[in-house]
Amino acid sequence: MRLGCAGLLVAALGLAACATSEPPPAIVPLPPPPRAAPAAVRLAWLPVETRASASLARALNERLARVGVDGVSETFQAPVSMEMAQLAIECIEHTPACYTAVGHSLGADRLLWAELERGGHGVVTVRVSLFDVGGGEIVKKAEKGYASAAAAKSGVGPLVDAAFGASVAKADDAKGATP
């Protein structure tokens, strides 16, 4: 009987010990791993060569340097014009494949450039293009013909604004610049 009582006593003490012990710690889930920073999107703007019309080329280059494109984290000036970049890689066609090759050679995800085309009677056509290198397509384009290079020079601002929206105008306001 002593053993029976002793067994009951041990069992009772064991239950009491369990009843007074602390609950196991709660399992807390680990936080999710940190998200990788979004990949940098690099925009190369290719300057217009001054041989076409020095003052018009300068006006276009100044405007292209201030263009803001959504999603772009870094903008830089390419060392050469689109024409020279294409000659350097021996791909002179105006095709997505050639523009993609230019983008890869410059280490850019987007390309921005302007082209000047002279017509009869002093007419100048200005084209501004934004090319997505990864997508292989022109995503924005603006084109306008002007009666002269002087008219084109004064019309460059509104043409670029029409293609790229208020981001250029806001940059101008912040700098106190005029087109």
Side-chain angles (χ1 to χ4, degrees):
M1 184 113 136
R2 279 187 178 243
L3 284 179
C5 286
L8 283 175
L9 183 60
V10 170
L13 287 175
L15 284 176
C18 288
T20 61
S21 68
E22 294 183 25
I27 297 175
V28 178
L30 294 175
R35 290 185 182 179
V41 176
R42 301 184 72 214
L43 169 77
W45 67 271
L46 294 95
V48 177
E49 292 185 22
T50 57
R51 65 180 163 81
S53 170
S55 64
L56 176 54
R58 272 193 303 277
L60 268 167
N61 290 338
E62 288 171 6
R63 202 64 176 187
L64 292 177
R66 294 191 316 259
V67 168
V69 176
D70 290 338
V72 170
S73 54
E74 179 185 349
T75 300
F76 64 97
Q77 179 181 345
V80 295
S81 68
M82 176 60 84
E83 181 181 354
M84 294 307 292
Q86 286 184 293
L87 286 172
I89 62 169
E90 298 178 1
C91 189
I92 59 172
E93 294 84 28
H94 297 284
T95 63
C98 284
Y99 299 147
T100 298
V102 168
H104 288 297
S105 73
L106 294 172
D109 302 299
R110 307 279 185 281
L111 298 175
L112 175 66
W113 74 97
E115 299 170 302
L116 302 176
E117 182 181 307
R118 293 210 177 255
H121 306 290
V123 172
V124 177
T125 300
V126 178
R127 284 183 204 87
V128 180
S129 302
L130 175 65
F131 184 77
D132 178 355
V133 175
E137 65 180 336
I138 291 178
V139 292
K140 287 188 180 182
K141 187 172 191 172
E143 178 177 335
K144 187 166 183 178
Y146 300 92
S148 66
K153 180 181 173 187
S154 64
V156 165
L159 176 68
V160 173
D161 288 349
F164 297 99
S167 59
V168 174
K170 286 180 185 173
D172 288 345
D173 291 344
K175 294 178 184 177
T178 57

